[in-house]
């Protein structure tokens, strides 16, 4: 299933994330692509809140992976940006052990820097595009359906 949305505010982005979160049951891998500032982390924060994560969700840029236990599912938030040009592997950051786990959702920013992710199917691919200072296009390609 493919869907395209236009968001004009963080609230609208959160609403889109909530709609996606409602379809998650665990075992999903979400690959989030887009330029810096396009809304990937904001989307992940909203997704986490919908999964029952309490507390602050922030970018794992320096840690690469942050784990948030939610009331419904556990969210693994991965930022692979620092792996650019380093040939990162899922094993290097422990993702090989959690991808596909039934009580886990893996949200991966900059998946292009973890080439092994391309082999994961089905997955949910989200492309964030900056339209202007406020507006974003969010395209979701859900390969589960």
């Amino acid at each position: 299933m493919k869907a395209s949305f236009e968001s004009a505010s963080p609230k609208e982005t959160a609403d889109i994330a909530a709609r996606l979160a409602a379809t998650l049951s665990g075992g999903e891998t979400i690959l989030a692509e887009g330029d810096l500032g396009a809304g990937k982390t904001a989307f992940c924060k909203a997704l986490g809140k919908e999964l029952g994560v309490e507390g602050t969700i922030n970018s794992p840029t320096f840690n690469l992976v942050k784990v948030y236990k939610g009331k419904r599912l556990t969210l693994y938030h991965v930022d692979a940006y620092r792996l650019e040009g380093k040939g990162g592997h899922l094993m290097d950051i422990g993702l090989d052990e959690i991808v596909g786990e039934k009580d886990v959702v893996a949200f991966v920013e900059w998946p292009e820097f973890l080439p092994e992710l391309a082999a994961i199917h089905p997955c949910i691919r989200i492309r964030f595009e900056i339209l202007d200072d406020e507006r974003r296009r969010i395209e979701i390609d859900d390969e589960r359906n």
Side-chain angles (χ1 to χ4, degrees):
M1 175 184 81
K2 291 186 180 190
S4 184
F5 304 91
E6 191 170 306
S7 171
S9 70
K11 165 87 171 82
E12 288 182 11
T13 296
D15 291 344
I16 297 165
R19 289 175 62 184
L20 178 61
T23 74
L24 302 177
S25 59
E28 292 89 0
T29 300
I30 300 170
L31 308 180
E33 301 175 348
D35 292 334
L36 287 170
K40 298 179 298 293
T41 299
F43 191 95
C44 186
K45 287 178 181 183
L47 187 76
K49 293 296 179 196
E50 292 297 319
L51 297 178
V53 173
E54 295 178 357
T56 304
I57 297 173
N58 52 29
S59 178
T61 301
F62 297 106
N63 302 76
L64 294 178
V65 180
K66 287 194 175 180
V67 182
Y68 301 96
K69 180 74 175 153
K71 291 179 181 169
R72 193 160 71 88
L73 296 167
T74 298
L75 174 66
Y76 277 71
H77 186 188
V78 181
D79 186 334
Y81 186 74
R82 290 190 326 154
L83 298 175
E84 180 181 14
K86 294 183 172 69
H89 298 284
L90 297 178
M91 283 180 34
D92 296 341
I93 57 176
L95 264 183
D96 59 318
E97 297 178 16
I98 61 100
V99 167
E101 286 295 313
K102 65 178 180 165
D103 61 341
V104 168
V105 171
F107 187 94
V108 183
E109 296 185 36
W110 304 98
E112 59 268 34
F113 301 136
L114 282 168
E116 293 169 296
L117 288 173
I120 294 175
H121 294 286
C123 65
I124 300 166
R125 298 175 190 277
I126 306 176
R127 174 81 182 132
F128 296 83
E129 180 183 355
I130 299 171
L131 300 176
D132 61 32
D133 287 346
E134 300 296 321
R135 296 179 312 122
R136 305 291 188 263
R137 177 172 294 117
I138 301 170
E139 295 178 348
I140 300 175
D141 185 1
D142 188 342
E143 297 175 354
R144 298 174 299 165
N145 302 328

